[in-house]
Amino acid sequence: MMPSDRNESGTTFTLLGFSGAPEMQVLLFVIFLGVYTVTVVGNIGIIVIIKINPKLHTPMYFFLSHLSFVDFCYSSIIAPKMLVNLVLKDKTISFSRCITQFFFFSIFVVTEAFLLAAMAYDRFVAICDPLLYTITMSEKLCLVLVVGPYAWGIACSLILTCSTLQLSFHGSNIINHFFCEFSSLLSLSLSDTQINQLLVFIFSTFNAIGTLLIILLSYGFIVVNILKMRSASGRCKAFSTCASHLTAITIFYGIILFLYCVPNSKSSRHTVKVASVFYTVVIPMLNPLIYSLRNKDVKDTVNKIMSFKIGHMGEQNCTTVMEFTLLGLSDVPELRPVLFLVFLVIYGVTVLANLGMTALIQVSSQLHTPMYFFLSHLSFVDFCYSSVIIPKILANILNNDKTISFLACRIQFYLFCTCVITEVFLLAVMAYDRFVAICNPLLYMIIMSWRLQVELVSLCYLCASVCSLIHLCLAIEVQSYKSNVINHFFCDLSPLLSLACSDVTMNEMLLFIVATFNETITIVIILTSYLFILITILRMRSAEGRRKAFSTCASHLTAITIFHGTILSIYCRPTSGNIRDADKVATVFYTVVIPMLNPLIYSLRNKDVKEALRKCVSSRMYS
């Protein structure tokens, strides 16, 4: 397979990658290196575990081993070159290497899509026809269902690669991406690319619709079959076996459909780049965690390999729990009226202050800046996660019945976790915004464009949703509990895990890893931003200028100190199993008090907000 004669032998491509943010190169290198390391260890580890444990020699784990292999391969095609380009100034790649990268990447992406469909069919047979499962999913059929995706992936990739080789490229070409992505290559060609665009549209649409149809049909039959089950525990167990697969296909197909199931557009390249990072780098890391680390057989094998003996729990009167009882803050009846009044006032101030801040930013044109755009979302998140917790606290203080259903408990935890993680990343984004505003004020509005603002906020919500979903899927796997009494005032993960009958070592470690990762990344961003801010301020000759620059950061520094200080004291360590009174008080502080304090901190210390509020009140009075 030789390039077209129209392509010069010296044709090269320059991968811009993330060169638009040179100050972030080191940070991005550390992040992607960590992600790639986890990807390699996780996926190779899963393959080894499945091979050495006879219990895992089943169709489900056979497909999983190939999914791990595919994740490892297509991550390894992209991540190493990305890491090199973050370190070196020379970001060029030859024509042949670029085409080779695209060829192998396409193979593994298409293969993964069809492997996910094959795994959906496997789950359908296992749940809808369990007695004939091993007969239906014979070794021959499993082999066909694995070889088929590889063969079709090679065929699709070969056709697209051959069509690309017929295009003309001359000299140096700049690709606004971090790898040789198909649409980026087409945009640089000197030839007519209509046939190429049509081919990629046809293949992408066929692959997406074909695999999604298999998945939807399989899960349609699964849902119908589960609803026919009389046993609640049976339904719960059946749903839990599908949770990881549903999580993976939702993330994978959501991003793929967003990127490829339409003809290429030259707009929003930065958005495409961010989404591409997610499915080329992050998803291969998430899949082994989603699929396997929550699995008892896999965990048992890991424990044997590490010679780490975990004592199995005996019979402890474990039962399937339909509802939990929240002990709350105090059992003293005399304190109930006081606690109710205090929390009611705090919640009232929280709602008024945060919704008021959001409304004020919307109606006041002088607050239509990046800083206040992020602040409006911070206020919205504070309102949301306060509203997830406080109404139930107030209801439990008034009522003797302090129960919460299993479903409501899971929903409360998911929404709370999503809001907290979103706030963590929003505070980091706001630190970056202050860095740009102080260190590069002349280009502030250009750098912090409306598109970048929306992308940064969307990424915060997306990361939080994914992290929460992973924790939720793992928590759903816990089928029985020693007790249904939670020594807390809401459904937090640590007290729930302390009641579990099954081994929750992996849940606790994942909680520790995710919390530590989120805290480390956001704190590094915050510290790096404020380090550059401090250096810039110290170089200012004007005392008034230094004072003004410090004052613009004071509110944000106050907020992050209170928030991260409290979070670090609770979550950045493996759970101890018991929620101490000190932890409970600290949790009250960041779930109830901080959402009230944030709008006060940002409004009482902010001249623009006070002036906008004064104008708004004046216009209402004189209108």
Side-chain angles (χ1 to χ4, degrees):
M1 193 191 315
M2 296 297 292
S4 171
D5 293 334
R6 292 170 289 179
N7 294 322
E8 300 174 358
S9 59
T11 298
T12 60
F13 297 92
T14 300
L15 299 171
L16 291 183
F18 303 95
S19 56
E23 65 277 1
M24 300 294 290
Q25 299 289 299
V26 175
L27 176 61
L28 288 173
F29 177 82
V30 173
I31 293 172
F32 289 133
L33 180 61
V35 170
Y36 181 59
T37 302
V38 174
T39 301
V40 172
V41 174
N43 285 292
I44 297 298
I46 291 302
I47 294 171
V48 172
I49 288 170
I50 291 172
K51 291 295 182 185
I52 66 175
N53 189 354
K55 286 185 178 179
L56 304 183
H57 294 174
T58 63
M60 173 182 169
Y61 292 106
F62 176 71
F63 294 128
L64 180 56
S65 66
H66 282 275
L67 184 72
S68 294
F69 172 73
V70 169
D71 281 334
F72 164 73
C73 287
Y74 87 79
S75 177
S76 297
I77 292 166
I78 304 297
K81 182 61 179 174
M82 188 195 320
L83 292 170
V84 170
N85 286 349
L86 286 170
V87 176
L88 302 180
K89 291 183 178 180
D90 183 13
K91 302 179 187 297
T92 59
I93 183 172
S94 66
F95 179 84
S96 58
R97 289 184 179 180
C98 189
I99 293 299
T100 303
Q101 186 188 56
F102 164 71
F103 175 71
F104 285 104
F105 171 73
S106 299
I107 290 174
F108 292 114
V109 169
V110 175
T111 302
E112 175 142 347
F114 281 91
L115 272 177
L116 289 171
M119 294 174 79
Y121 176 72
D122 172 72
R123 290 299 82 206
F124 154 70
V125 177
I127 293 174
C128 298
D129 202 1
L131 297 179
L132 296 177
Y133 174 61
T134 54
I135 299 174
T136 305
M137 297 302 294
S138 62
E139 185 177 339
K140 182 179 178 180
L141 179 60
C142 291
L143 195 61
V144 169
L145 290 176
V146 165
V147 173
Y150 283 111
W152 180 244
I154 293 171
C156 290
S157 182
L158 198 59
I159 293 170
L160 292 176
T161 303
C162 288
S163 71
T164 306
L165 290 172
Q166 301 306 311
L167 302 176
S168 293
F169 300 93
H170 293 290
S172 299
N173 301 274
I174 297 176
I175 298 178
N176 187 16
H177 219 307
F178 57 86
F179 75 104
C180 292
E181 190 256 347
F182 190 74
S183 59
S184 299
L185 287 172
L186 295 186
S187 66
L188 297 174
S189 175
L190 303 175
S191 310
D192 184 4
T193 60
Q194 287 186 353
I195 298 297
N196 306 75
Q197 290 180 4
L198 185 61
L199 280 173
V200 74
F201 177 72
I202 291 171
F203 280 124
S204 299
T205 305
F206 174 80
N207 292 339
I209 292 176
T211 52
L212 280 174
L213 192 62
I214 295 170
I215 291 167
L216 292 175
L217 284 174
S218 298
Y219 276 104
F221 285 110
I222 287 172
V223 169
V224 171
N225 194 75
I226 289 175
L227 292 177
K228 290 179 179 179
M229 294 179 181
R230 295 181 180 181
S231 167
S233 61
R235 288 196 297 269
C236 185
K237 185 177 181 180
F239 271 123
S240 68
T241 61
C242 304
S244 56
H245 185 253
L246 282 170
T247 304
I249 61 175
T250 301
I251 298 171
F252 182 82
Y253 279 95
I255 299 171
I256 293 290
L257 289 172
F258 171 72
L259 291 174
Y260 288 109
C261 278
V262 291
N264 180 53
S265 172
K266 292 184 179 180
S267 62
S268 303
R269 296 304 303 167
H270 191 71
T271 305
V272 171
K273 200 185 295 184
V274 172
S276 298
V277 167
F278 204 80
Y279 86 86
T280 58
V281 180
V282 179
I283 287 179
M285 176 192 70
L286 291 178
N287 278 346
L289 299 177
I290 293 172
Y291 277 101
S292 308
L293 297 183
R294 67 183 184 84
N295 187 285
K296 185 177 183 298
D297 293 330
V298 174
K299 288 189 291 184
D300 288 344
T301 307
V302 173
N303 292 337
K304 289 178 183 178
I305 293 172
M306 299 175 67
S307 300
F308 180 73
K309 236 179 174 184
I310 297 178
H312 295 284
M313 291 188 176
E315 295 296 323
Q316 302 182 43
N317 297 321
C318 296
T319 57
T320 300
V321 174
M322 294 293 106
E323 61 181 23
F324 293 99
T325 299
L326 298 169
L327 290 184
L329 294 166
S330 176
D331 293 329
V332 182
E334 293 79 7
L335 289 177
R336 286 187 178 183
V338 177
L339 289 173
F340 180 82
L341 185 61
V342 170
F343 284 114
L344 182 62
V345 171
I346 289 175
Y347 185 56
V349 174
T350 301
V351 172
L352 290 175
N354 284 291
L355 293 184
M357 179 69 75
T358 305
L360 184 64
I361 292 170
Q362 292 295 321
V363 302
S364 179
S365 58
Q366 71 187 80
L367 300 182
H368 290 175
T369 63
M371 172 182 169
Y372 293 107
F373 174 74
F374 297 131
L375 180 57
S376 66
H377 281 276
L378 184 71
S379 295
F380 171 72
V381 170
D382 280 333
F383 162 73
C384 287
Y385 88 79
S386 178
S387 297
V388 170
I389 304 296
I390 300 183
K392 183 60 181 175
I393 294 177
L394 294 173
N396 285 351
I397 291 174
L398 287 180
N399 300 327
N400 290 325
D401 182 14
K402 302 178 186 295
T403 59
I404 181 172
S405 69
F406 184 89
L407 178 62
C409 186
R410 291 293 186 256
I411 292 173
Q412 186 187 55
F413 162 70
Y414 175 76
L415 294 176
F416 163 75
C417 190
T418 301
C419 291
V420 169
I421 297 175
T422 302
E423 177 144 346
V424 169
F425 282 99
L426 272 176
L427 289 171
V429 167
M430 293 174 77
Y432 176 72
D433 171 73
R434 291 299 81 206
F435 154 72
V436 178
I438 293 174
C439 299
N440 207 348
L442 297 179
L443 296 176
Y444 175 58
M445 294 306 297
I446 298 174
I447 296 172
M448 298 302 296
S449 63
W450 171 251
R451 186 182 70 179
L452 181 60
Q453 294 172 48
V454 172
E455 287 171 352
L456 288 173
V457 168
S458 300
L459 193 60
C460 292
Y461 287 112
L462 180 63
C463 290
S465 299
V466 171
C467 289
S468 302
L469 198 59
I470 292 170
H471 284 311
L472 181 64
C473 290
L474 285 167
I476 289 174
E477 286 304 297
V478 180
Q479 299 294 323
S480 56
Y481 295 86
K482 294 174 283 186
S483 170
N484 70 335
V485 179
I486 300 176
N487 185 19
H488 215 320
F489 56 88
F490 77 104
C491 290
D492 198 6
L493 187 57
S494 297
L496 280 172
L497 295 181
S498 68
L499 299 176
C501 284
S502 56
D503 177 25
V504 293
T505 304
M506 203 55 67
N507 304 65
E508 293 173 344
M509 287 304 300
L510 188 63
L511 174 63
F512 174 71
I513 291 168
V514 171
T516 304
F517 177 80
N518 291 340
E519 280 294 295
T520 302
I521 293 299
T522 53
I523 288 175
V524 166
I525 294 171
I526 291 168
L527 292 178
T528 305
S529 299
Y530 275 105
L531 177 61
F532 283 107
I533 288 171
L534 182 62
I535 292 171
T536 302
I537 291 175
L538 293 176
R539 287 177 179 174
M540 294 178 180
R541 296 181 180 180
S542 168
E544 178 64 21
R546 288 197 295 269
R547 187 196 64 79
K548 187 176 180 181
F550 271 123
S551 67
T552 61
C553 302
S555 299
H556 184 252
L557 280 170
T558 305
I560 61 175
T561 302
I562 297 172
F563 185 83
H564 282 281
T566 310
I567 293 288
L568 286 169
S569 70
I570 299 174
Y571 286 107
C572 279
R573 55 178 173 79
T575 182
S576 62
N578 295 314
I579 295 297
R580 302 186 300 272
D581 289 338
D583 285 344
K584 203 182 291 187
V585 172
T587 308
V588 167
F589 196 76
Y590 85 89
T591 57
V592 178
V593 179
I594 288 179
M596 177 191 69
L597 290 179
N598 278 345
L600 300 179
I601 291 170
Y602 278 98
S603 59
L604 297 179
R605 298 180 59 89
N606 192 293
K607 183 181 176 182
D608 292 334
V609 173
K610 289 189 286 187
E611 186 178 341
L613 182 60
R614 194 179 300 112
K615 286 182 179 179
C616 186
V617 173
S618 299
S619 63
R620 294 285 180 183
M621 290 177 64
Y622 294 106
S623 60

